[in-house]
Amino acid sequence: QVQLVESGGGSVQAGGSLRLSCAASGYTYSMNCMGWFRQAPGKEREGVAAIYFGGGSTYYADSVKGRFTISQDNAQTTLYLQMNVLKPEDTAMYYCAADRGGSWCRNSYEYHYWGQGTQVTVSS
């Protein structure tokens, strides 16, 4: 019903930048939450940034505030994550996600639709 496909991941040195994209297709109407999550080996999946449409707000994890920016194109078919001043701690598999319900959009359990993930590796 809903397909999310991430792209834009890769390897970059500390201090560099990457721009992740998440292309949405299928029945993508009425999404309340759209966000980015990441998971490093041996760690739990954590929220990175999200758009809470119902509340008209955005959310950023403290660790990425001032460095990452979440946005959506005007056609509302692509979700972006601009990542600047990357650090080795940002190394993880990054996933985009969406849900028609949810509240606050900060936690992974609020999301039903997930992409396959794109790897981001930041070297020191």
Side-chain angles (χ1 to χ4, degrees):
Q1 185 179 35
V2 176
Q3 296 175 342
L4 303 173
V5 180
E6 302 97 331
S7 62
S11 298
V12 64
Q13 291 188 339
S17 298
L18 285 173
R19 180 180 171 90
L20 305 184
S21 299
C22 176
S25 61
Y27 192 75
T28 61
Y29 302 100
S30 302
M31 294 297 177
N32 186 55
C33 301
M34 295 192 72
W36 290 92
F37 293 79
R38 66 186 182 187
Q39 187 168 24
K43 296 184 178 180
E44 295 184 357
R45 185 169 298 183
E46 63 175 345
V48 176
I51 301 174
Y52 174 30
F53 293 101
S57 63
T58 56
Y59 149 79
Y60 293 96
D62 289 341
S63 60
V64 307
K65 285 182 178 178
R67 300 189 297 120
F68 291 12
T69 303
I70 188 170
S71 63
Q72 189 179 46
D73 69 341
N74 291 332
Q76 299 183 331
T77 58
T78 306
L79 186 72
Y80 300 100
L81 184 67
Q82 179 66 47
M83 305 185 295
N84 298 324
V85 198
L86 283 162
K87 304 175 180 180
E89 303 92 272
D90 296 317
T91 296
M93 184 73 73
Y94 283 71
Y95 301 88
C96 65
D99 197 86
R100 294 188 178 89
S103 298
W104 299 106
C105 309
R106 296 185 177 186
N107 301 299
S108 61
Y109 59 76
E110 299 180 71
Y111 293 80
H112 284 95
Y113 305 107
W114 293 85
Q116 83 290 343
T118 184
Q119 179 68 39
V120 171
T121 302
V122 184
S123 61
S124 59

